[in-house]
Amino acid sequence: MTVAAEGSGQLAGVRGRRLAGAALLVPLVALLAACGGASRADGAAGGRGGDVDGKGSLTLNVGDQKGGSEAILRAAGELDGLTYRIRWSTFTSGPPLLEAVNAGAVDIGGVGNTPPVFAAAARSKIKVVAGAHSRAEGDALLVRKDSPLTRTAQLKGRSIAVAQGSSAHYQLLAQLRKAGLSPKDVTLNYLQPADALAAFTLAKVDAWAIWDPYTSQALDQAGARVLATGQGVVNGLSFQVAAPAALGEAKKAAALKDYVERLRRAQDWVYAHPDAWAKVWARETGMPQRVALDAVRRTRGTAVQVALDKAAVASEQRIVDAFAREGLIPRSFDFGEFVDPRFNRDLPPSGTAPRSYGKAH
């Protein structure tokens, strides 16, 4: 596997309109929530202190991402009537959020399907306590509209931007394997979304493995087209991950249970009110409302809360095995050891089909 370093010089002959386009898009993309990469602000383990909701003597420290759980809960009215306090800390990505969980600075936070694999491989103190299953059209391999590439197999010898340790990282591994390729057959450019968008727009990479809402933004504003989507290739799961110490405190565990249930109701609200949520999401992140609505209908609004069952654990174990096989995590391990199903209740199986708004965008 060849890995290109960040910060390489611009390719000669890049058209001015691409440079201008990248300059306009990067500030927007920097605001959006991510699933892999570095945090955007200082504070404990990379988080930024934010709002406090609720009342009472118990405080739940919740890690969030811009336009994430706090925004959804607030829009759905699910922050009303809290008998405990929620102190929010904002991260731009899953990995530093899980660093904060491991450090005990955060009690719970939402991430994609891959950051828990990397955190568990590093023996972090985490427990996956809730899951959701979404459609995966927003997990995509993108190329520019003028690219000659039409099949994933044609990526051999090409350069691909991807955020290391993100859900897109596994999507890329799975797409390459499906096409009979391995990471050794391509050049991986480990770039966070803002840098990846600039590299993609400036033709410094041939393809970009990414997730929504970046997918929707690139299709709308960066002259991108879809080479392949993750539908049928990745598991479409996302998780709430808690600190074992918080789960070990009876009162805090009760608050965690209530918090997870509020998230489930809020997700139902999002599905039923896609336009209203897109308006809120656009305001929170700075992306155009039409882009937000595309991402809601393609991915964000389709989530169904599901049980952390044997099938979910087995699906995540395949991600563990894939990264271990490529030497991208330091060890293999039993993913089930990092799962606590106490909040499953009567949730449907993890393989339950996600919701749909009809034909994907």
Side-chain angles (χ1 to χ4, degrees):
M1 171 178 59
T2 304
V3 179
E6 295 187 36
S8 58
Q10 295 181 3
L11 295 181
V14 171
R15 289 177 291 180
R17 66 178 178 84
R18 281 183 172 165
L19 180 59
L24 290 171
L25 290 170
V26 169
L28 285 175
V29 92
L31 289 171
L32 302 176
C35 293
S39 70
R40 76 180 173 95
D42 56 8
R48 188 187 72 174
D51 298 329
V52 177
D53 288 282
K55 59 184 179 180
S57 59
L58 178 70
T59 297
L60 202 60
N61 294 300
V62 178
D64 195 21
Q65 300 179 45
K66 190 71 173 178
S69 298
E70 179 185 358
I72 290 175
L73 289 166
R74 198 175 302 285
E78 288 292 340
L79 291 179
D80 299 335
L82 284 171
T83 57
Y84 54 92
R85 292 160 61 87
I86 295 179
R87 179 180 293 115
W88 301 96
S89 295
T90 305
F91 301 79
T92 59
S93 59
L97 191 160
L98 294 187
E99 289 174 15
V101 173
N102 177 59
V106 165
D107 296 315
I108 192 169
V111 298
N113 64 1
T114 303
V117 168
F118 276 72
R123 296 182 169 86
S124 295
K125 295 185 287 293
I126 63 168
K127 287 289 185 179
V128 176
V129 296
H133 187 201
S134 304
R135 296 190 63 80
E137 279 94 350
D139 298 320
L141 278 177
L142 302 179
V143 295
R144 290 176 298 280
K145 287 181 178 178
D146 59 1
S147 171
L149 302 177
T150 58
R151 294 179 293 111
T152 305
Q154 294 172 327
L155 288 170
K156 185 173 184 177
R158 302 283 187 159
S159 59
I160 307 169
V162 64
Q164 188 173 20
S166 68
S167 58
H169 197 173
Y170 176 68
Q171 186 233 145
L172 177 57
L173 260 63
Q175 297 281 15
L176 291 174
R177 189 173 190 185
K178 181 180 178 183
L181 301 176
S182 80
K184 297 181 177 64
D185 294 315
V186 299
T187 298
L188 298 185
N189 289 258
Y190 287 140
L191 299 170
Q192 292 309 305
D195 296 325
L197 175 60
F200 179 83
T201 307
L202 296 168
K204 293 166 64 177
V205 294
D206 297 301
W208 183 16
I210 193 57
W211 60 89
D212 253 336
Y214 301 111
T215 298
S216 296
Q217 185 188 13
L219 293 173
D220 182 76
Q221 299 174 274
R225 63 177 170 84
V226 174
L227 183 68
T229 77
Q231 194 66 25
V233 178
V234 299
N235 62 19
L237 295 175
S238 58
F239 300 111
Q240 291 294 317
V241 181
L247 290 166
E249 298 178 25
K251 291 184 178 179
K252 189 159 280 191
L256 289 170
K257 179 177 183 290
D258 179 76
Y259 174 76
V260 167
E261 290 175 351
R262 288 172 185 267
L263 281 176
R264 290 169 184 160
R265 293 194 298 266
Q267 185 61 50
D268 291 340
W269 179 88
V270 167
Y271 176 70
H273 302 86
D275 294 277
W277 168 241
K279 184 176 181 180
V280 173
W281 200 14
R283 184 174 67 244
E284 288 287 323
T285 61
M287 61 179 153
Q289 189 171 335
R290 66 180 180 278
V291 173
L293 185 58
D294 280 349
V296 170
R297 292 183 176 277
R298 183 181 285 112
T299 306
R300 188 65 172 267
T302 69
V304 174
Q305 307 302 311
V306 295
L308 297 173
D309 54 18
K310 291 181 179 179
V313 173
S315 182
E316 287 295 297
Q317 189 64 47
R318 287 191 285 274
I319 298 178
V320 172
D321 295 341
F323 279 106
R325 184 169 54 246
E326 298 295 340
L328 296 172
I329 56 176
R331 67 186 184 101
S332 186
F333 58 92
D334 180 0
F335 188 82
E337 294 179 358
F338 293 86
V339 174
D340 185 332
R342 70 175 71 183
F343 301 144
N344 273 354
R345 293 198 316 160
D346 55 353
L347 287 171
S350 61
T352 300
R355 295 156 166 156
S356 174
Y357 292 99
K359 185 179 179 181
H361 288 226

